[in-house]
Every structure is written in structure tokens, then in C-alpha cells.
Amino acid sequence: MSAVLEQAESATPTPQAPATTDGWHLVIDALKLNDIDTIFALPGIPITDFLRISQAEGMKVISFRHEQHAGNAAAAAGFLTQKPGICFTVSAPGFLNGLTALANATTNCFPMILVSGSSEREIVDLQQGDYEEMDQLAIAKPLCKAAFRVLHAEDIGVGIARAIRAAVSGRPGGVYLDLPAKLFAQTMDAAAGKKSLIKVVDPAPKQIPAQDAVQRAVNLLKHAKKPLIILGKGAAYAQADEDIRALVERSGIPYLPMSMAKGLLPDNHSQSASAARSQVLAEADVVMLVGARLNWLLSHGKGKTWGAGSQKEPGQKKFIQVDISPTEADSNVAIDAPVVGDIGSCVAAIVAAMGPDWAKAPSDWTSAIADKREKNQAKMAETLAKNPVPMNFHSALNVIRNQVKARPDAIVVNEGANTLDFARSIVDMYEPRKRLDVGTWGIMGIGMGFAVAAAVVTGKPVIAIEGDSAFGFSGMECETICRYNLPVCVVVFNNNGIYKGTDVNPTGGKDAAPTVFVKDARYEMLMQAFGGHGVRATTPAELEAALTEAVKSGRPTLINAIIDETAGTESGRITSLNPNAKKK
Ligand code: ADP
Ligand code: TPW
Ligand code: MG
């Protein structure tokens, strides 16, 4: 048995000592028992040997250059697979570096487990100054769904089982697991060790909605004159793709995908209202949220966006909310029909309750949306066809748009401000869970971690559409991409800075303005430094040639796309959130 450290055979014919196992092997065996085969990590005391042994035992170990990116990779793997992504870090500083990813995963409802080695409890608790001393459990607790510590080898099975259940059941999220250095070297009888491990049965149990809740929702939909469905990343995560398609198509209701729900139905679907977003949000009378929260990304369900007078006022809408979290309803505005359960079960129950004779959404509503959509799409097509010098966001993104259309199985990772906002609306997605981005926080730094996970977990080509600032947060992971030879093509939208490259120091002093970078930085050389391919592209034709080749070859590539430094706007599409805009 792999988990067993065989005792050295003694020369004397004394009875053989019983086979033993240890903390290292028990952790690995517990993960394997639960079908977890990949670990994202950064080595050091006390986890170096753990990672070595993991690899020796057949685990895939992806080793990063900074823990935040290992953590982000684990989170993305969790989102894509519904299994908790696993990230291992060293104590205090490594743990803290991973913590941003853990908190971000929790915010986004992605299941992951951050496992950090920790220093000696006795010394930490008396604050006697151990190597990398920190009370990690206490610090992690408020930033994740659950936090556990295992002190004894015989509890490793329970610890891992609890961490898995906490991460994936109900609303998914991040879990912290604290493993003190001493635990790894503890030994116990191998048979007892094996017995102590738990294979988690039904880790994310279905949650069936109550029939009266379903009926309440269906009644609202039935009498709606201007119904709208909003699909969020919870709907993408749920992998209930066929049920969701049935709901949309059987009801005939227009739908809006939130950014990571793009592709759940193809973006060119006739019922997509993306190109008429402002109109449908303002005018809809019944809105059904499926795995989407009414947070800032949806203007909290209030204000002009929703057809109300003031920013504090809710619109005159009825809301249905399908969500696994019973406390999500009423978080911002009153929810008239909460349907609590897992999305697959809820949506299937709603479709069943609609029955076979459901009258499709009123045609005056759907045709008004279709008109608006056609007009806006025609306008967009005109803009995309232009070929300005230098390139702007549109002409460069048009190239990526065409590439994704040709390779709908490719995964798009996207971060930045203008680079994010334009890519979200220009690059159509055709398949579920193919778009990973800055999520609920609008966080910069997810780029290379998400790209590595997407490539490792799916084996599909990855196109990372990165603002030059955004890319900087994780750029060193280009080495990781090259080291594992991953099919990742990073396209850096290089406009010499944050939002724009045109700011100047108002004092006339020699320090650059805070939002601008070195002009004409050669980002492509970063990939070349590690043996990957680097291309500087100044025209859509150059970008297209390089991107097509990268996706075809699967070779790690970075394309430095030179974008007009005047083309962006402050904060992209969220200019209004700047305090200065509020003052005005
Ligand atoms: P978006 O940013 O795309 O609008 P959010 O992250 O705000 O999406 O919302 C996701 C929602 O989906 C959360 O409220 C979460 O509780 C819910 N959710 C996640 N997984 C499931 C699931 N399997 N079934 C039901 N709801 C889910
Ligand atoms: C962890 C604030 C939001 S967007 C952005 C920053 C720094 C970068 C925008 O520049 P970029 O894109 O990427 O070059 P573009 O196309 O507009 O020029 N730190 C964190 N998260 C966030 N969101 C910020 C800072 C921010
Ligand atoms: Mg920029």
C-alpha cells in the first residue's frame, strides 16, 4: 500500500513491527479518496516534503511563484469542476498571500480549500516568536465559510471531509484548513489510519424547492407582461445547462447573462437581451434572478437603471429569486417569490410547473427588444469594422471575438478596466463556463492563476485578455505557464497605464503620474524570457496571425497588443463609482 512507510527489515528474526503511516500520507490519501487529484501550491517549510510526496504518489502538483495565484487557480478549478480546488501554502506570509484568493473565492461562491502549514501551537499561543508565527485560524475565520485545524493524525480524515463539505454544500465558498508542522510527521498504525479516512458521500446534496414557492414564482411569471430572466455565475456553476435552456426557450422570456454566465446559452441566441440591457432592466415588470445577486453589479435593484426615479428607490418590479442561500432574498429590495434550492432542482421544478401549454412571453415585449438589439448590434458591427491607427479596444477585441467564434471551446480569462468592460460586451461566448473574470469584487490579479487552472483542468486553449495594469499583478506566472507548457495565450492590452496612458504629473516634476507606466513596455519579452513565444502586435492583422497560431499550437504565448493610449475612460464603465463623480 502506497501510504505505508515500511519499517526497515531487521536482521534478527523478531516479529515485524506493524506497518505505519504518517500525516503526509494521510492527507494525500484523504484527498485521493475524495477524487481530488490536483494541488496548486508554493513550497517551503513545513509543506515542501508534502508536495514532493504528493507528486511521488501521483498527484498533479502545480507549483506557483506567488501564493495568491495558486489560490486563484484553486478557486477557478473549483468553479469549473464543482470539486473544491486545493491550495497549499507555508505559514504566516505564505498563508496571508493565499488569503486574498480565499476571500475572493468566498465572495464569488467558488469552492476552494486553502491549506496552510502553521507553526507550533504552544509557541504561537504564548506569542513566543516562532518561525513564521501567526494565529492563522483566527485570521482566516471571518474571511471564509469555515475554518478548521487538525492536531492529530487520526483526525485528518475528519478534517478533510469537513473542509470538503463546507466548501461545496449549500452556497459554495472558501474553507481554511490549518495543518501544524508537527502533524505531518506524526505516525499511526496504517490500518487504523486507512480506517480513519472518510469518503464524503453526496458532498453537495440536492436541495429541492418547496412546491408552494415554485407555484408562487410561476404565477408571477404567468401574469408578467414584460418578464426578464437574469442568469448569474451561480447558474453557470450549477451545471444545470439543459434545465436552464429549457426554462428560457419554453418560456420565451428574454434573458440577460451576467458576465460569467455568458455562454450558458450562446450569446447569439435570439432571446439574449444583452444588446438591449438598459431597456430591459428599466422596463421589465417581473424579473427572475437565477444564481445572481442584486449587488452593485445590478445597481442593487434600485434607481434609474431599474426605471425608478432616485438612486435609493426600488423600481416597480416583482422579483423572483432562485438561489441556494435562503438569506439572499430581500438583501437589497423585496423579493416577491424566493425559490430556495439548488438551481438544477429549482429550474426543473419551475419548468415542470409551467406545464405544456405555457403561453410564450408577450410578443410586443420580445419584438421591442429584438428591434433594439438589432439596432445596437448594427452600430457595434460598424464600430468593430473600423481599423484605426493605432489599434483601439474595439479593433483588437474584434480579432479575439472572431477567434472565440472559431474556437468556442477556448476559455477566456479577462481582467482590467476598459479591457474588461469592452471584452465583456464584444467577445461573444458560445459554451457554458468558458469565461472567467474579476467577479463580484472586480479584483485585479486573477489573470494568470485562473488561466493556469483553466488550462490544467480542461486541457483547452486559454485566451487571457489582460489590461496592462491587470497583467502586472500576476505576470511572473508566465514562468509557471512555460514550465508546465500550458496552452495559454496572454493578450496584453497595452495602453501604457491604468485606464489610459496619458496622465501627466501636474507639478511638472519628473515622477510619472500614478496611473501611467513605462511607455511602449515590451511585455512579450516576459514570455520569451522563459522559452515561450512573444509577439508585439500593432495591427489587427498582426494580432490575428499571432493569436491564431497560439491557439492552434498551444504554445505559451504573450501578445503585446499596442492600444491607443487615449482610447480608455476613467475606471472603464464604472466611472460613476469614483468619489469625485459622487461629489459632482
Ligand atoms: P453574478 O455576479 O453572476 O450576478 P453572484 O455571484 O452575484 O452572480 O450570485 C451567485 C449566486 O448563485 C449566489 O447567491 C449563490 O448563493 C448562488 N448559487 C451558487 N451555486 C448555486 C447552486 N448550485 N444552486 C443555487 N444557487 C447557487
Ligand atoms: C486588487 C483597482 C481597477 S481596474 C485597474 C485597477 C488598478 C487596472 C486598470 O488598468 P488596466 O486596464 O488593467 O491597464 P485598462 O484597459 O483600463 O487600461 N487592486 C486590486 N483590484 C482592483 N480592482 C484595483 C486595484 C483597479
Ligand atoms: Mg491599461
Side-chain angles (χ1 to χ4, degrees):
M1 196 177 94
S2 63
V4 178
L5 287 179
E6 295 291 351
Q7 300 285 314
E9 254 187 28
S10 151
T12 47
T14 47
Q16 259 199 339
T20 59
T21 185
D22 56 34
W24 290 291
H25 287 88
L26 285 166
V27 174
I28 294 164
D29 290 345
L31 292 173
K32 279 188 175 173
L33 186 63
N34 287 289
D35 302 321
I36 291 168
D37 55 11
T38 305
I39 293 172
F40 304 96
L42 201 155
I45 295 172
I47 61 156
T48 321
D49 286 329
F50 172 78
L51 297 176
R52 289 193 183 113
I53 300 169
S54 294
Q55 190 171 52
E57 295 286 340
M59 281 275 193
K60 196 166 193 59
V61 179
I62 305 291
S63 187
F64 283 75
R65 305 300 295 262
H66 188 291
E67 291 87 349
Q68 189 175 126
H69 313 310
N72 284 330
F79 171 75
L80 290 170
T81 64
Q82 295 185 325
K83 283 194 277 185
I86 308 290
C87 173
F88 269 77
T89 79
V90 302
S91 6
F95 157 77
L96 286 173
N97 284 346
L99 203 52
T100 306
L102 181 70
N104 188 52
T106 307
T107 300
N108 284 296
C109 317
F110 298 165
M112 77 169 274
I113 304 173
L114 174 70
V115 191
S116 295
S118 59
S119 308
E120 258 185 70
R121 281 258 46 87
E122 294 81 350
I123 303 182
V124 173
D125 288 346
L126 279 169
Q127 298 172 30
Q128 293 175 308
D130 201 3
Y131 168 70
E132 298 193 344
E133 173 181 301
M134 176 173 272
D135 188 357
Q136 295 167 195
L137 190 72
I139 289 165
K141 243 176 207 166
L143 298 171
C144 56
K145 256 187 95 176
F148 305 101
R149 177 185 293 132
V150 181
L151 291 176
H152 304 291
E154 60 265 34
D155 294 329
I156 285 173
V158 168
I160 301 262
R162 301 215 71 191
I164 291 173
R165 280 200 189 278
V168 297
S169 62
R171 172 183 280 178
V175 173
Y176 175 62
L177 187 60
D178 195 87
L179 301 185
K182 270 188 186 169
L183 177 78
F184 292 106
Q186 283 178 25
T187 55
M188 68 183 286
D189 172 73
K194 188 176 182 191
K195 237 175 123 182
S196 74
L197 302 184
I198 294 174
K199 178 157 175 72
V200 179
V201 176
D202 199 9
K206 276 193 181 162
Q207 297 193 21
I208 312 295
Q211 201 47 47
D212 59 335
V214 170
Q215 203 49 56
R216 199 182 290 125
V218 169
N219 289 346
L220 267 184
L221 281 183
K222 191 173 265 166
H223 298 111
K225 301 216 160 41
K226 299 180 169 187
L228 173 68
I229 295 171
I230 297 182
L231 302 174
K233 58 180 167 309
Y237 172 78
Q239 299 194 15
D241 309 339
E242 285 318 308
D243 291 316
I244 286 168
R245 179 183 281 275
L247 169 70
V248 170
E249 293 185 344
R250 295 267 309 276
S251 70
I253 298 175
Y255 74 95
L256 270 183
M258 300 300 286
S259 68
M260 282 181 60
K262 276 164 70 74
L264 207 41
L265 293 147
D267 275 334
N268 58 359
H269 193 283
S270 64
Q271 285 170 258
S272 168
S274 290
R277 187 176 193 272
S278 327
Q279 183 185 357
V280 292
L281 289 181
E283 293 181 9
D285 60 352
V286 174
V287 178
M288 179 177 188
L289 300 156
V290 183
R293 287 170 284 187
L294 274 179
N295 56 18
W296 70 281
L297 287 159
L298 285 169
S299 309
H300 305 283
K302 299 177 199 169
K304 288 215 173 71
T305 311
W306 290 90
S310 81
Q311 275 319 110
K312 295 234 160 110
E313 208 182 300
Q316 298 295 310
K317 321 268 180 205
K318 298 279 182 200
F319 281 104
I320 300 164
Q321 185 158 32
V322 177
D323 205 290
I324 203 154
S325 165
T327 54
E328 184 54 39
D330 304 334
S331 59
N332 286 274
V333 299
I335 300 297
D336 305 276
V339 183
V340 175
D342 70 278
I343 284 169
S345 301
C346 292
V347 171
I350 289 168
V351 171
M354 280 163 48
D357 307 318
W358 186 263
K360 295 242 158 129
S363 62
D364 51 345
W365 170 237
T366 52
S367 56
I369 296 167
D371 285 351
K372 182 79 173 181
R373 186 177 61 223
E374 267 155 44
K375 263 186 218 135
N376 283 344
Q377 282 176 343
K379 247 193 261 169
M380 179 60 92
E382 224 173 86
T383 313
L384 292 179
K386 286 184 188 148
N387 191 359
V389 180
M391 276 195 293
N392 62 9
F393 289 98
H394 293 84
S395 61
L397 285 166
N398 189 40
V399 171
I400 300 180
R401 173 187 162 92
N402 292 336
Q403 183 64 230
V404 173
K405 194 170 189 178
R407 283 300 302 263
D409 60 326
I411 294 182
V412 168
V413 173
N414 189 197
E415 59 178 336
N418 293 279
T419 304
L420 175 89
D421 291 336
F422 285 121
R424 189 178 51 229
S425 60
I426 292 171
V427 180
D428 285 341
M429 306 304 300
Y430 302 90
E431 295 180 8
R433 293 170 296 282
K434 295 295 185 183
R435 191 187 147 86
L436 304 171
D437 67 25
V438 300
T440 302
W441 269 348
I443 192 173
M444 296 299 114
I446 48 84
M448 299 306 102
F450 278 14
V452 167
V456 166
V457 165
T458 70
K460 298 288 184 188
V462 177
I463 303 172
I465 310 173
E466 300 276 313
D468 51 344
S469 165
F471 172 69
F473 288 73
S474 66
M476 192 63 199
E477 302 298 344
C478 282
E479 190 275 333
T480 308
I481 290 167
C482 289
R483 183 162 23 101
Y484 294 99
N485 194 24
L486 298 174
V488 175
C489 178
V490 184
V491 185
V492 174
F493 277 59
N494 185 359
N495 62 351
N496 295 334
I498 298 176
Y499 316 139
K500 279 171 183 265
T502 50
D503 272 13
V504 289
N505 182 337
T507 70
K510 66 175 168 39
D511 286 350
T515 56
V516 303
F517 300 144
V518 166
K519 300 274 182 202
D520 200 21
R522 300 294 300 273
Y523 291 105
E524 75 279 14
M525 293 170 82
L526 254 161
M527 203 61 101
Q528 291 167 351
F530 307 111
H533 194 47
V535 182
R536 183 171 179 276
T538 60
T539 64
E542 287 170 6
L543 176 56
E544 190 188 338
L547 181 61
T548 307
E549 171 57 25
V551 170
K552 205 173 103 197
S553 70
R555 182 172 172 204
T557 301
L558 192 151
I559 306 173
N560 181 10
I562 309 303
I563 304 294
D564 182 356
E565 65 171 11
T566 69
T569 57
E570 178 85 9
S571 308
R573 254 178 234 168
I574 53 173
T575 316
S576 64
L577 296 183
N578 279 314
N580 198 27
K582 290 262 190 304
K583 199 177 104 192
K584 283 174 197 157

